[in-house]
Amino acid sequence: MRIFALVDCNNFYASCERVFDPSLKERAIVILSNNDGCIVARSNEAKSLGIPMGAPIFKQKAVIKKHNVAVFSSNYQLYGDMSKRVMDSLNLFTPDMEVYSIDEAFLRLDYLQPRNLHEYCEIIREKVLQWTGIPVSIGIGPTKVLAKIANHVAKKQTDGVFDIQCLQKQDEILKSLDVDKVWGIARSWSERLNSMSIYKASELRDASPPIIRKHLSVVGERILRELKGQSCIDLEAIQPKKNIMSSKSFGKPLTKKEPIEEALSNYAARACEKLRKQNSRAQAVHVFIQTNGFRETDRQYNNVITHTLTTPTSDTRIIIEAAKFCLSRIYKHGYRYKKTGIMLLDLIPISLEQKQLFVDFDHRPGDHLMKVVDHINKDHGPDTLFFGAQGVTRAWKMRCGSRSPRYTTQWDELLMVC
Amino acid sequence: MIAVTSTALKIAKPCPLPLALCHVEAGFPSPADDYMEGSLDLNEHVIKHPSATYFVRASGDSMIGVGIFNGDLLIVDRSLEASSGKIIIAEVDGQLTVKRLLKLNDRFSLQSENSSYPPIELQEGNEVVVWGVVTHVIHDLL
């Protein structure tokens, strides 16, 4: 029988901030989205103040002031590095793991057969806390869906670990859990289930598999079987991404084409870096541009365009050219633009590349140049070397007014102790 | 030094400095070739637990007695157990500080290595909140 553990970092972003600033320990913390617009993460204290997830920060100004809530811009360099540390620490306990998100991982523990599973997970938890400073909760179950549910319960346990394998306890929990809280049940699905008088997780578990399959496809049936304790979804190996997206909102609305082009070139360069990191080339680019839909007084315009490349490439110069060409086709004068972005499509691993019959393209000079660029930027920090199209002043850049220091990735922002 | 300054905390990345190098000229192989041993990596020397190791900057002169000067780089390993005599990063009143942990007659104190700073005595029952154990100091001589 399989045994899964879902390890989930508690209030991950807020916890990362606390590791390097202990004075934040019992203080309410909120973290803002890219561009400092909305609240994307909260500490427990902030949750109990009733500050909602996703709320625009300007609407929460009063609560924040009254309760001295600490407000941070998101510091993805720090969160990314701390996530890697948590995952690396977990990896020491079992090689069978799947990093599911920045703050969650599934582990398989049945191969290890620890004598006392609960105790073993407590040790994992203690070690991760000591090594990284990040508190985690661990849910144990015979399937991934059940492990995920066990994790909800673990969050409320004092020792942060909960094992849902005991059938009696399992039944109690599933009977009180709303079906939309089950992993994989999207809103539209839970509405459909409700219309079939299925409201609780236990009712989905006890429903007829063929009927669920008819309504929610084989994916829905798999969730049902997982609720029954039959493991259908194993750990997934990380696969190279099929598309790469890079896009952000501007710090302020832009009307002229040049700064938008500059921003887009930056996102293109970033996307190409990711593309080369996974040893792939793109066969098409997709560019979009948007005005701010929330500003009802503004005239609205959104457009997208996809452009096929003659030869698959990972050369930033070619992709930037293509992106600029796309933009010139969809940009219209007279609008206040909020956001642009690029998606690289139809990615193929370099190892599977097909030689073309009529186009004889030599990738070597471009590959070599890109390798040098990546190498320099890796050793000396991002953007040490960049392309002219990316611009120098970058006035369109996102706001990140209250970002904490990038303690673990920048030499001049290290933690200071006296 | 190259190993540490080369990249932003990419701890696991080796930065090899070859122990021996042989330029093959005119076809005579170096007699040292058979003795090549690989390379030395400074990270390997100072970092035993990459995911638990943090770089921290020292500020002030409270630890000059043990060779920690203002602006020095401290290598801190959070996976090590703190014990009496070790130099640690500890949490005191919401601040992080570098001090020597000492245990005398069952009571812990945090000692400076500079006579102008009094030790921080911990009240009975109060535990020291240890952030990490300092394993190395890197001091620039230039």
Side-chain angles (χ1 to χ4, degrees), chain A residues 272-314:
Chain A
C272 288
E273 259 172 44
K274 290 189 206 163
L275 180 66
R276 292 192 292 271
K277 219 174 183 178
Q278 65 172 57
N279 285 314
S280 304
R281 297 194 207 277
Q283 307 191 77
V285 298
H286 176 88
V287 169
F288 67 87
I289 187 168
Q290 290 172 359
T291 51
N292 187 349
F294 289 108
R295 276 178 177 260
E296 284 159 12
T297 50
D298 278 12
R299 291 168 62 219
Q300 300 294 326
Y301 171 66
N302 301 321
N303 207 347
V304 298
I305 184 171
T306 306
H307 174 72
T308 312
L309 299 157
T310 43
T311 313
T313 187
S314 57

Side-chain angles (χ1 to χ4, degrees), chain B residues 63-120:
Chain B
M63 294 301 282
I64 49 175
V66 72
I68 297 175
F69 295 90
N70 190 29
D72 279 0
L73 184 68
L74 308 178
I75 316 291
V76 182
D77 189 338
R78 288 184 57 114
S79 72
L80 301 177
E81 292 301 328
S83 56
S84 184
K86 292 229 170 78
I87 308 292
I88 63 164
I89 308 285
E91 216 183 288
V92 178
D93 300 328
Q95 299 273 343
L96 292 170
T97 178
V98 52
K99 294 286 173 286
R100 188 189 290 281
L101 180 68
L102 272 185
K103 190 179 187 183
L104 261 179
N105 306 327
D106 272 356
R107 273 176 81 155
F108 280 109
S109 66
L110 294 169
Q111 303 274 340
S112 295
E113 292 284 331
N114 181 340
S115 50
S116 30
Y117 294 85
I120 303 168

Side-chain angles (χ1 to χ4, degrees), chain A residues 192-210:
Chain A
R192 208 172 316 167
L193 288 168
N194 289 353
S195 72
M196 298 159 68
S197 312
I198 296 176
Y199 298 97
K200 297 289 176 191
S202 59
E203 291 166 342
L204 175 59
R205 176 196 62 193
D206 301 332
S208 140

Side-chain angles (χ1 to χ4, degrees), chain B residues 44-72:
Chain B
E44 208 177 283
H45 176 68
V46 298
I47 300 168
K48 299 288 183 265
H49 307 102
S51 48
T53 300
Y54 296 79
F55 297 167
V56 168
R57 188 79 64 191
S59 113
D61 59 357
S62 71
M63 294 301 282
I64 49 175
V66 72
I68 297 175
F69 295 90
N70 190 29
D72 279 0

Side-chain angles (χ1 to χ4, degrees), chain A residues 134-375:
Chain A
I134 304 290
V136 299
S137 307
I138 305 182
I140 308 164
T143 70
K144 279 168 114 177
V145 168
L146 286 172
K148 187 99 185 171
I149 292 170
N151 193 279
H152 289 298
V153 185
K155 288 241 146 62
K156 290 167 204 139
Q157 308 287 315
T158 45
D159 64 356
V161 177
F162 184 76
D163 185 347
I164 200 166
Q165 289 190 94
C166 159
L167 288 176
Q168 195 192 335
K169 264 193 268 174
Q170 201 182 100
D171 191 50
E172 270 169 40
I173 292 163
L174 295 185
K175 272 186 178 138
S176 61
L177 187 73
D178 288 336
V179 76
D180 63 333
K181 294 281 188 316
V182 174
W183 185 46
I185 300 291
R187 220 241 195 91
S188 59
W189 279 14
S190 73
E191 278 164 9
R192 208 172 316 167
L193 288 168
N194 289 353
S195 72
M196 298 159 68
S197 312
I198 296 176
Y199 298 97
K200 297 289 176 191
S202 59
E203 291 166 342
L204 175 59
R205 176 196 62 193
D206 301 332
S208 140
I211 289 175
I212 293 300
R213 185 184 191 135
K214 212 175 95 197
H215 286 86
L216 305 182
S217 80
V218 67
V219 181
E221 187 192 345
R222 241 181 253 151
I223 295 171
L224 180 154
R225 293 196 183 278
E226 288 250 319
L227 284 170
K228 277 184 187 301
Q230 305 164 1
S231 173
C232 313
I233 314 168
D234 201 355
L235 298 183
E236 273 167 43
I238 298 163
Q239 293 188 336
K241 292 200 179 97
K242 297 268 168 56
N243 298 322
I244 291 174
M245 163 104 155
S246 178
S247 111
K248 275 174 200 143
S249 301
F250 308 127
K252 54 173 193 273
L254 297 178
T255 52
K256 292 210 181 78
K257 190 172 136 202
E258 290 71 29
I260 299 176
E261 204 173 74
E262 209 177 278
L264 182 63
S265 301
N266 274 279
Y267 307 153
R270 185 84 199 97
C272 288
E273 259 172 44
K274 290 189 206 163
L275 180 66
R276 292 192 292 271
K277 219 174 183 178
Q278 65 172 57
N279 285 314
S280 304
R281 297 194 207 277
Q283 307 191 77
V285 298
H286 176 88
V287 169
F288 67 87
I289 187 168
Q290 290 172 359
T291 51
N292 187 349
F294 289 108
R295 276 178 177 260
E296 284 159 12
T297 50
D298 278 12
R299 291 168 62 219
Q300 300 294 326
Y301 171 66
N302 301 321
N303 207 347
V304 298
I305 184 171
T306 306
H307 174 72
T308 312
L309 299 157
T310 43
T311 313
T313 187
S314 57
D315 189 323
T316 306
R317 296 169 300 173
I318 299 171
I319 305 267
I320 287 181
E321 271 318 306
K324 280 163 72 174
F325 170 73
C326 290
L327 183 68
S328 71
R329 299 286 298 275
I330 55 174
Y331 170 82
K332 273 201 219 165
H333 187 68
Y335 293 94
R336 289 157 57 83
Y337 292 100
K338 164 83 179 151
K339 191 175 189 178
T340 185
I342 182 170
M343 204 172 350
L344 305 179
L345 306 172
D346 299 338
L347 310 187
I348 43 162
I350 289 176
S351 54
L352 298 180
E353 203 167 38
Q354 290 191 344
K355 286 274 172 243
Q356 299 207 6
L357 194 52
F358 299 111
V359 194
D360 190 18
F361 190 85
D362 187 3
H363 278 298
R364 280 170 303 179
D367 282 352
H368 190 72
L369 179 67
M370 292 305 124
K371 208 178 242 173
V372 172
V373 172
D374 289 342
H375 201 82

Side-chain angles (χ1 to χ4, degrees), chain A residues 98-148:
Chain A
E98 171 193 342
V99 176
Y100 181 67
S101 71
I102 191 168
D103 56 358
E104 289 168 288
F106 284 104
L107 313 180
R108 263 191 81 172
L109 298 177
D110 39 318
Y111 300 123
L112 293 171
Q113 301 187 316
R115 242 182 305 159
N116 185 332
L117 202 57
H118 197 278
E119 215 168 73
Y120 190 70
C121 287
E122 275 177 32
I123 295 171
I124 294 180
R125 204 177 161 270
E126 257 166 50
K127 285 290 173 205
V128 173
L129 181 61
Q130 189 191 336
W131 285 42
T132 66
I134 304 290
V136 299
S137 307
I138 305 182
I140 308 164
T143 70
K144 279 168 114 177
V145 168
L146 286 172
K148 187 99 185 171

Side-chain angles (χ1 to χ4, degrees), chain A residues 49 51 56-69:
Chain A
L49 287 175
I51 300 175
I57 182 74
F58 70 88
K59 286 195 177 160
Q60 302 295 322
K61 282 259 155 75
V63 188
I64 283 167
K65 199 166 171 209
K66 188 174 169 205
H67 296 279
N68 187 27
V69 177

